[in-house]
Amino acid sequence: MARVALVTGGSRGIGAAVSKALKAAGYTVAANYAGNDEAANAFKAETGIPVFKWDVSSHEACAAGIKAVESALGPVEVLVNNAGITRDAMFHKMSLDQWNAVIGTNLNSLFNMTQPVWGGMRDRGFGRVICISSINGQKGQMGQANYTAAKAGEIGFIKSLAQEGAAKGITVNAICPGYIGTEMVKAIAQDVLDKRILPLIPVGRLGEPDEIARAVAFLAADQAGFITGATLSINGGQYMV
């Protein structure tokens, strides 16, 4: 029976690529999404991957959503914590709402999503938790104190949880993408991309969502059981750790 993989933010951008890659690798995939019904329904129609709507910043919504996924498809054995938002502002102008929104969706969601599936992973002696962090969680970024705090927190989260899961057959890893050619990045003015972003990337181009997705599929595999607590940087050489 195919393992069940749940991808948060799984119907658009990097998340959509991850969902497709995991399905192609033989997983039974569920894609969570937050609010864009049109995009989610189009993704479902294109891929045949079922979509489930809930807010990952809500502990109660996550518990209910995961229960619905497991009732429909079976126990979640691979969890990809991908959902994320930005609310950028210089810190002296950042509002509490901007801070809380990003911390809630990007960091608190790790607890909300992972704890409900953790016990089952421990009981079965197998699990894969993969968190999509960011290059900015490694190096920081002006105007993103909220986002970088959350993304750096993801790296700390996987290092601690990897130690707890190791003896139970559960691996916990992070991927830190650089600039990836999603709708959000491609919406940046071309002159800004050409003059301020691409010159910082040694390979001279944006990454592709599929390049992140292939790494997720690699870390999710049964054969990746000796890789845990790792942070994989996929940024075209922009930041080398």
Side-chain angles (χ1 to χ4, degrees):
M1 186 174 178
R3 297 196 185 280
V4 174
L6 172 57
V7 183
T8 67
S11 64
R12 298 175 65 193
I14 290 173
V18 169
S19 295
K20 293 175 186 177
L22 290 174
K23 182 181 180 181
Y27 295 86
T28 297
V29 180
N32 151 269
Y33 74 103
N36 191 325
D37 294 322
E38 183 179 356
N41 290 329
F43 172 82
K44 180 181 178 180
E46 174 197 350
T47 64
I49 294 171
V51 294
F52 296 81
K53 183 179 181 179
W54 74 82
D55 177 4
V56 295
S57 70
S58 165
H59 186 264
E60 294 77 13
C62 288
I66 291 167
K67 184 176 180 180
V69 169
E70 294 194 325
S71 294
L73 304 177
V76 173
E77 295 182 285
V78 176
L79 172 64
V80 183
N81 287 311
N82 167 73
I85 62 172
T86 57
R87 297 290 186 271
D88 295 351
M90 296 297 285
F91 188 66
H92 66 285
K93 295 182 178 179
M94 185 175 290
S95 70
L96 181 60
D97 285 346
Q98 288 173 312
W99 177 270
N100 285 339
V102 170
I103 296 299
T105 296
N106 297 13
L107 184 59
N108 292 345
S109 63
L110 302 186
F111 179 88
N112 297 341
M113 286 299 305
T114 308
Q115 196 183 51
V117 303
W118 189 254
M121 289 179 176
R122 284 173 53 88
D123 292 343
R124 291 185 297 273
F126 179 89
R128 298 285 185 264
V129 178
I130 302 161
C131 296
I132 308 302
S133 180
S134 168
I135 184 176
N136 291 343
Q138 297 173 299
K139 72 176 186 60
Q141 178 62 43
M142 184 172 65
Q144 285 194 326
N146 48 4
Y147 184 82
T148 57
K151 291 301 182 179
E154 288 192 52
I155 296 170
F157 175 81
I158 67 101
K159 290 179 182 296
S160 291
L161 207 57
Q163 296 179 53
E164 296 188 26
K168 296 294 184 179
I170 308 169
T171 67
V172 189
N173 294 290
I175 294 173
C176 289
Y179 282 96
I180 307 300
T182 59
E183 290 179 21
M184 180 176 68
V185 172
K186 288 181 177 179
I188 297 172
Q190 190 62 47
D191 64 323
V192 174
L193 281 171
D194 291 342
K195 295 177 182 178
R196 298 180 58 185
I197 294 176
L198 292 178
L200 300 176
I201 305 172
V203 302
R205 65 172 176 86
L206 301 176
E208 294 295 333
D210 286 348
E211 293 177 298
I212 308 302
R214 286 194 292 271
V216 172
F218 168 72
L219 291 173
D222 287 18
Q223 297 86 348
F226 203 58
I227 304 171
T228 196
T231 302
L232 178 57
S233 297
I234 307 178
N235 60 39
Q238 183 180 353
Y239 187 73
M240 302 182 188
V241 186

